[in-house]
Amino acid sequence: MTTTTPKGAPHPLRAEALRGFPPLAGAAVIVLIAVLMIATARKWQGNWAETADQLHDSLLMILPVAAAAGCWRGGRERRRRTEELWSTAVRPPLTRLLAQAVPVALWVAAGYLLVIACAAVATWRYALGDHPHLILVPGDTVALMAAAVVGHVVGRTVHSMLTAPLLGVAGFAGLAAAVPHGDVQPLDPASFAVKGSWPVWWQPLAMTAWTLGLAVALTLVCAARRRATALVPLAAALTAGVLLVQGGDGTWRPDPLLRRQVCDTSTTPAICVNAQYGRLLPQVTTALSGVTGKLQGIQGLPARWADRENGPRTDEAQLPIVTPFGWSLVRGRLTRPDRYAWEAAAALSDRGQCERPSERVSLADGAVLTYLAPSPDQSEYDAVMAKGSAADRAHLRADQAARAKLATMDEQRRRTWLSAYFTARAVCDDKAVPSL
C-alpha cells in the first residue's frame, strides 16, 4: 500500500524549509559573515583576490555555526517529545531525516551565496584589475551544507541540550588546530588560502567529494535501511582525501597575474605596477608626476619603477608596495599620494648592497630626496633635530645647506649634477658622487 500527498497540499520539504528554524540559520550565517566583511572592508574592497580570500577564510567561523545549527535542528523532535509519534510515520527514516536536515543546509548555503554576491557588487565598483575568483565557491558551499547535515545527525544521535553549542565550540577548535599542521591541512575545507595562489581545477572537486562523501556516508549509516550503501560515498570521500593529501602544496598554483607588469613608458623612469591592480597605474603616474617631471633629461636612472613579487631587478627601482590593502590603498584609491611619491623617490637613491655611504654622500642623498619629493614629515623631523644635541643641530644645518644648494642651482647645472649623482649610485661609487 502506498501513500500519496493530498492534491494541493504543500510538499513536506517546502513546509520544513519555509517555517521555523532553517530561515533563522541562514540569517545567522548572513549576519556573521556580513559583520566580518564590513569590519575588514578596507582590506578587501577593490581587489578580487583579497575578496575571495576573505570569504574563504570566513569558513573558519561559519562552518562550526552551520554544524551547530544542524545539530539544534536534529534535536527538535526530542525537545518536543514527539519522537515516538514520528516513528509511526509512513515515510522511511531516511526520508524523514532528509526532510529536516536539507532545509537547514540549503538556507546556510543560500546565506553564504548571498553574501558572496553582495561582496562581489561591493568589490566591482572599486576593482583595479584582475577578475572575480569563484573557483573556491562550490567547494566552500558544499562544505557548509555537509557541516549542517553532519550536525543534524549528531543532534539526532546525542540526547543533550548542550550538544549543539558544544559541537560548535569543538568544530571551531578543531578547525583552528588543523590550520598549522601541514599533514591534515589539505583536508581542512576552512584552511587559509595560499596568498598569491589559486587551486588547480580538480582541488575544489576533490574537496567537494571529501566533505559531501563523509556527510552522505554518516547519514546513510544513521537512517538507511541498508547501511552497507554507506560504503560507496565513504569510498569516494576517502579517495578524494588521499588525492588532497598526496597533492599537498601541489594543489595550488601561483597566480599568473602576479608575475605580469602593466607599464607607463611615457615617464622617466617608466612606471610599472603589478597586473593584479593594473588600473591603479593612472593614479600612480599622477602621484609620481612631480618626481618624474624633475627627472627629465637625467642620466644614470633606473630603467623603471617595478612592483615585482621577488623584488626589483638590477635595472629597476622598487615601486612603493600597496599591499596589504587597507593602508596606503583603500577601496581603489591611494590614501597618501604625497607619501607614496616620497617613498618612490627614496627608492631611486636606495643603494641596495652598496656599502654604507659617507657623511658627504648621505647629505647628497637627503638633498636629492627632498628636491624630488619632500617628506610629509620633514618639518617635524627638522623641529626635533633643532631641539636635539649639538651634533644633531650641526647635522641639521649641514643638511639644510645641502638641500638649499641643490634647490637653487640653475636648471642645466642641476641636471648635470643629478646625472653624475645617479650614475655613481648605479655602480656603488661613492667617490664619484659630486659634493654639494
Side-chain angles (χ1 to χ4, degrees), residues 16-240:
E16 292 281 357
L18 298 181
R19 300 176 185 174
F21 182 71
L24 296 178
V29 168
I30 292 174
V31 171
L32 285 173
I33 308 180
V35 169
L36 175 65
M37 297 299 288
I38 292 173
T40 58
R42 291 170 60 93
K43 174 183 176 182
W44 57 264
Q45 198 172 4
N47 183 264
W48 288 114
E50 290 290 342
T51 301
D53 285 348
Q54 192 68 26
L55 287 167
H56 176 73
D57 293 346
S58 69
L59 288 184
L60 182 64
M61 178 176 64
I62 61 174
L63 274 176
V65 172
C71 185
W72 184 258
R73 179 71 165 182
R76 182 186 66 173
E77 305 310 325
R78 183 178 62 258
R79 293 192 302 273
R80 292 179 175 181
R81 299 181 180 179
T82 57
E83 290 178 293
E84 293 184 3
L85 179 62
W86 268 91
S87 65
T88 62
V90 177
R91 291 186 177 89
L94 181 60
T95 302
R96 297 199 303 269
L97 186 151
L98 293 177
Q100 296 183 44
V102 169
V104 175
L106 291 177
W107 273 101
V108 167
Y112 182 62
L113 293 176
L114 178 61
V115 174
I116 289 177
C118 293
V121 172
T123 300
W124 207 297
R125 179 181 177 184
Y126 305 103
L128 293 171
D130 205 353
H131 55 81
H133 294 280
L134 303 177
I135 190 170
L136 293 171
V137 172
D140 293 351
T141 305
V142 170
L144 281 173
M145 298 176 68
V149 172
V150 170
H152 187 92
V153 173
V154 173
R156 288 171 63 96
T157 305
V158 182
H159 296 179
S160 173
M161 294 288 289
L162 297 177
T163 303
L166 289 177
L167 179 62
V169 172
F172 180 80
L175 292 175
V179 168
H181 292 86
D183 295 338
V184 298
Q185 190 173 6
L187 301 177
D188 180 7
S191 62
F192 295 137
V194 180
K195 296 297 181 181
S197 301
W198 297 109
V200 296
W201 66 269
W202 57 266
Q203 193 270 354
L205 299 177
M207 184 60 71
T208 297
W210 164 246
T211 56
L212 186 61
L214 291 179
V216 172
L218 185 61
T219 301
L220 293 177
V221 169
C222 178
R225 291 178 178 176
R226 297 181 180 179
R227 296 182 177 179
T229 56
L231 294 176
V232 176
L234 181 60
L238 293 178
T239 302

Side-chain angles (χ1 to χ4, degrees), residues 359-371 375 378-379 381-382 385 391-407 436:
E359 179 69 15
R360 180 183 65 85
V361 176
S362 294
L363 291 174
D365 290 344
V368 170
L369 181 55
T370 302
Y371 168 71
S375 170
Q378 188 67 56
S379 58
Y381 172 79
D382 289 350
M385 294 292 287
D392 291 337
R393 293 194 298 272
H395 177 79
L396 176 61
R397 289 193 296 270
D399 195 17
Q400 290 175 331
R403 285 185 250 158
K405 186 173 182 180
L406 181 61
L436 283 172

Side-chain angles (χ1 to χ4, degrees), residues 15 23 102 125 156 169 189 255 257 259 262 290 293 306 318 324:
V102 169
R125 179 181 177 184
R156 288 171 63 96
V169 172
D255 189 343
L257 281 182
R259 300 180 179 181
V262 178
Q318 176 64 54

